[in-house]
Amino acid sequence: QKVSVEVLDHLEHLALVDFRDSEGVERLHKAIQFADQLHEVNTDGVEPMDSVLEDRCLYLREDDVTEGNCTKELLENAREKVEEYFVAPPGNIPLPKLEERETFLQGS
Amino acid sequence: LAPWAPVVGLEIHAQISSNSKLFSGSQVQFAAPPNSLVSFFDASLPGTLPVLNRRCVEAAVMTGLALNCSINKKSLFDRKHYFYADLPAGYQITQQRVPIAVNGCLSYSLCIDSKMSQMVTKTVRIKQIQLEQDSGKSLHDDTRSQTLVDLNRAGVGLMEVVMEPDVCCGEEAAAAVRELQLILQTLGSSQAVMAEGQLRVDANVSVHHPGEPYGVRTEVKNINSIRFLAKAIDYEIQRQIEELENGGTILNETRAFDSKLGCTVPMRDKEGKQDYRFMPEPNLPPLILYDTKSLPANMNHQQVINIDWIHERLPDLPSVKRKKLVEKYGILPEHSFTLLNEDGLAEFFESVVKRTQMKPKKVIGWILNDLLSYLKQHSLTVKESPVSSFLLGDLLNLLEKKEISSTAAKQVFAELWKGEGKTPLEIVKEQKLGLLQDQKELEQICQAVIDGQENE
């Protein structure tokens, strides 16, 4: 079962991944196939496990101020800054629509 | 024309009152220098991990209990993915699958008429309460076509209170949110000051004909006060009704309330229906809460949260406080509402009652009519009142002992209001407002008046 071009395009928009070429898409198909093997196990009446940490204790921290105050260090990572603010474009720049961008998905 | 039934579902985000953030040790504080309250985790630098703040969990449990919710002894954390400059990780840690509290209810009261003499109690069901991170703040600089990002708020703990769509107009929504605000402030779980962004309300609004399915809903955001909440909702209800009656359709969109124009407008930059790709937060195990029965024997008590322990220590909620005021002092229920609605007014009232022999039922008139109207006229809070409870108590004593008339008492009150530091007794003497009690003196005056008349 192949993943449709619409879904691939949707994923590229949502996650900003680039499937790049048919090999990339094929790798995705193989990953789905691999995960689908889980369906071969009968899980009736079994609580789903969504984390290997499920039996671990969630550590609770005391409400003390122990970090922060490192503006200079944090801003060192910024390509652009204004007065101690990070600078970003005016809004999200979405991926152009399928028709408007150069992607091998167009040919599919 | 068939009647329209408006439907309003409120989503409220309350900032948790804590020293540090939900998953990191940076400070929670309003109006600090930009990016000064940001840890490496808050900035989403690689290699950092979330560590849950105990106080935030306690705040959510308290709030859940106060809203009659079932507390989930096991709740889970999830990631909600979307891109925005003030969300450095590209996802928000929230509780989408199993939140910390579910299925509660909030009771609130409305005045039937404008004179506040008849009150009706309504309830709104609470769907759930979840713990989640706040995002940073974006300052839009349209002239330079850029956005300035301050991450001080990123990672601050929030309680999202999701209500069922049981509210049907702006007035109900305002009353419900006001009551929630009072509860949060009483618990101390949030200071819930809307002006400082500690309480944010979004309203989902739709209209339909009774008996038919719900209509398409719009989400209204950017509401900065309880007054605007009522306006925004009523405007949106009206807009939708007019649109539908003119044969139009309602778009499932997000709209912002423009307080200057008093209307809602479509919000820019909303990229259609969002797919948040929820997934379990892989770095956090389930949050387990205990009660007295399930308390583990050998655990470090700092790592254990006991729901029963928290329940036993809940303070009196506003509804209980009001009842007690009515029972103790014989005042009317609507009086108790006004007393609790103004910060510090109930305490002021009780302080005056202690100080004077005047019956509480009479004192309340002075508090609600005289004191409160003066405060409102001058836009002062109870704490800023130039007339202290002691001064008012002394004044009411003079009145009660019939040393002055009630007209004179009002005059003295007006003088006290100037805040010149004079006591009521001093003002009475100065302005000669004292009632004469001496029989002989009164006779002399009357005689003089009669004599004066005879001479004309």
Side-chain angles (χ1 to χ4, degrees):
Chain A
Q1 217 177 350
K2 296 290 176 187
V3 180
S4 71
V5 175
E6 285 76 35
V7 171
L8 291 172
D9 180 48
H10 184 58
L11 286 173
E12 289 197 335
H13 272 94
L14 277 185
L16 296 181
V17 294
D18 183 356
F19 289 106
R20 194 62 58 90
D21 52 26
S22 57
E23 259 187 64
V25 176
E26 192 45 36
R27 223 170 295 131
L28 174 67
H29 287 140
K30 289 224 157 71
I32 295 172
Q33 241 184 325
F34 180 76
D36 275 346
Q37 292 178 100
L38 290 171
H39 289 311
E40 307 202 5
V41 182
N42 185 343
T43 56
D44 290 342
V46 180
E47 253 319 284
M49 180 183 87
D50 49 46
S51 167
V52 293
L53 298 173
E54 67 177 17
D55 289 329
R56 298 291 294 273
C57 207
L58 175 51
Y59 179 77
L60 296 171
R61 181 176 57 83
E62 280 303 301
D63 186 24
D64 298 318
V65 176
T66 55
E67 339 175 63
N69 236 323
C70 50
T71 319
K72 213 162 149 225
E73 270 179 288
L74 291 173
L75 289 174
E76 270 170 19
N77 283 330
R79 195 185 67 179
E80 266 187 74
K81 41 183 171 265
V82 167
E83 272 179 34
E84 288 184 335
Y85 288 94
F86 293 100
V87 179
N92 281 1
I93 302 170
L95 209 57
K97 292 209 178 75
L98 188 55
E99 314 83 75
E100 293 160 23
R101 72 182 195 272
E102 272 181 37
T103 162
F104 94 102
L105 286 179
Q106 281 223 44
S108 308
Chain B
L1 273 172
W4 288 106
V7 177
V8 180
L10 298 171
E11 276 163 29
I12 296 139
H13 290 89
Q15 248 186 29
I16 297 173
S17 176
S18 60
N19 300 326
S20 57
K21 295 183 180 179
L22 182 58
F23 293 116
S24 70
S26 37
Q27 191 182 5
V28 176
Q29 195 187 51
F30 187 65
N35 292 305
S36 61
L37 308 176
V38 185
S39 68
F40 289 178
F41 171 77
D42 304 328
S44 191
L45 297 187
T48 56
L49 291 170
V51 186
L52 183 55
N53 179 341
R54 185 198 163 87
R55 157 70 188 161
C56 292
V57 181
E58 290 170 343
V61 172
M62 269 197 284
T63 306
L65 291 170
L67 294 176
N68 305 297
C69 295
S70 308
I71 305 296
N72 282 327
K73 291 222 190 71
K74 178 175 168 190
S75 61
L76 305 171
F77 289 101
D78 305 292
R79 289 185 183 180
K80 177 179 179 182
H81 300 82
Y82 63 95
F83 290 118
Y84 208 62
D86 59 26
L87 194 72
Y91 60 85
Q92 175 201 38
I93 300 179
T94 177
Q95 294 188 301
Q96 191 250 356
R97 290 167 296 155
V98 188
I100 191 166
V102 291
N103 296 336
C105 69
L106 167 67
S107 291
Y108 61 97
S109 287
L110 276 182
C111 316
I112 284 197
D113 61 24
S114 54
K115 278 180 272 178
M116 271 212 79
S117 56
Q118 263 215 336
M119 308 207 80
V120 64
T121 306
K122 295 202 167 223
T123 46
V124 54
R125 290 166 299 160
I126 306 290
K127 178 158 185 260
Q128 64 189 57
I129 298 175
Q130 64 210 47
L131 279 167
E132 56 184 40
Q133 294 173 302
D134 206 345
S135 66
K137 261 217 186 128
S138 293
L139 299 161
H140 300 290
D141 181 358
D142 292 322
T143 47
R144 282 179 206 76
S145 203
Q146 62 190 12
T147 297
L148 302 180
V149 177
D150 173 13
L151 297 178
N152 282 350
R153 203 185 63 180
V156 171
L158 294 177
M159 295 177 286
E160 179 173 346
V161 180
V162 183
M163 295 181 171
E164 299 285 8
D166 296 340
V167 163
C168 70
C169 65
E171 197 193 358
E172 284 186 5
V177 171
R178 178 66 184 129
E179 187 68 7
L180 176 64
Q181 194 180 38
L182 285 173
I183 291 173
L184 292 171
Q185 290 168 347
T186 303
L187 293 172
S189 56
S190 171
Q191 289 165 310
V193 175
M194 271 181 99
E196 285 184 14
Q198 294 167 337
L199 192 71
R200 278 131 43 196
V201 184
D202 298 329
N204 294 294
V205 181
S206 72
V207 295
H208 69 293
H209 293 302
E212 287 178 16
Y214 281 359
V216 175
R217 63 179 156 90
T218 61
E219 187 186 15
V220 183
K221 291 173 105 82
N222 196 42
I223 300 163
N224 299 324
S225 73
I226 293 190
R227 226 184 87 233
F228 285 154
L229 175 66
K231 272 191 171 195
I233 289 171
D234 289 336
Y235 174 85
E236 182 59 18
I237 290 171
Q238 223 21 66
R239 184 192 76 85
Q240 290 193 11
I241 290 176
E242 277 168 20
E243 184 70 36
L244 292 170
E245 282 183 350
N246 289 333
T249 52
I250 305 300
L251 294 171
N252 175 216
E253 59 178 351
T254 302
R255 298 174 74 88
F257 179 65
D258 184 321
S259 48
K260 288 199 195 95
L261 300 172
C263 66
T264 62
V265 293
M267 241 171 121
R268 60 174 182 132
D269 209 17
K270 279 287 164 170
E271 301 143 43
K273 200 140 189 258
Q274 285 276 34
D275 180 349
Y276 294 112
R277 296 180 299 142
F278 286 98
M279 71 177 241
E281 169 54 61
N283 295 320
L284 293 170
L287 173 60
I288 309 291
L289 303 173
Y290 300 92
D291 54 25
T292 322
K293 263 191 260 168
S294 65
L295 212 49
N298 297 322
M299 248 173 103
N300 172 7
H301 80 101
Q302 195 268 341
Q303 289 300 312
V304 169
I305 292 183
N306 182 343
I307 300 168
D308 291 335
W309 193 90
I310 295 175
H311 207 157
E312 284 158 23
R313 283 156 187 76
L314 286 180
D316 276 349
L317 292 182
S319 51
V320 173
K321 279 194 196 170
R322 287 183 200 115
K323 229 171 141 205
K324 285 188 174 174
L325 285 169
V326 169
E327 279 167 12
K328 186 170 180 190
Y329 299 111
I331 57 175
L332 295 173
E334 44 266 34
H335 295 161
S336 69
F337 268 92
T338 316
L339 282 180
L340 253 60
N341 211 35
E342 296 301 323
D343 194 26
L345 193 60
E347 291 75 15
F348 193 101
F349 166 69
E350 293 194 280
S351 177
V352 173
V353 165
K354 256 203 209 128
R355 198 163 172 87
T356 175
Q357 295 97 47
M358 182 181 281
K359 284 208 159 57
K361 276 196 207 185
K362 276 180 84 179
V363 174
I364 194 75
W366 279 89
I367 299 288
L368 297 183
N369 301 330
D370 301 88
L371 179 76
L372 194 58
S373 58
Y374 264 93
L375 287 174
K376 291 290 171 198
Q377 260 174 43
H378 296 88
S379 295
L380 294 172
T381 62
V382 174
K383 288 195 184 86
E384 295 164 342
S385 171
V387 182
S388 69
S389 57
F390 292 158
L391 289 178
L392 182 55
D394 288 343
L395 171 58
L396 296 181
N397 276 339
L398 293 177
L399 181 55
E400 192 66 6
K401 285 188 272 184
K402 297 201 202 308
E403 290 185 32
I404 52 174
S405 69
S406 58
T407 325
K410 305 258 180 208
Q411 248 181 278
V412 175
F413 187 78
E415 192 64 32
L416 280 174
W417 194 260
K418 292 186 191 160
E420 286 165 7
K422 297 185 207 149
T423 67
L425 202 54
E426 282 166 5
I427 297 171
V428 165
K429 288 213 171 96
E430 252 180 54
Q431 299 191 12
K432 297 204 174 60
L433 294 168
L435 282 176
L436 293 171
Q437 313 268 27
D438 188 327
Q439 181 85 350
K440 257 203 175 156
E441 220 186 321
L442 284 165
E443 278 180 3
Q444 278 178 353
I445 294 174
C446 292
Q447 192 61 52
V449 171
I450 294 169
D451 292 345
Q453 290 277 32
E454 283 177 350
N455 288 342
E456 274 171 25

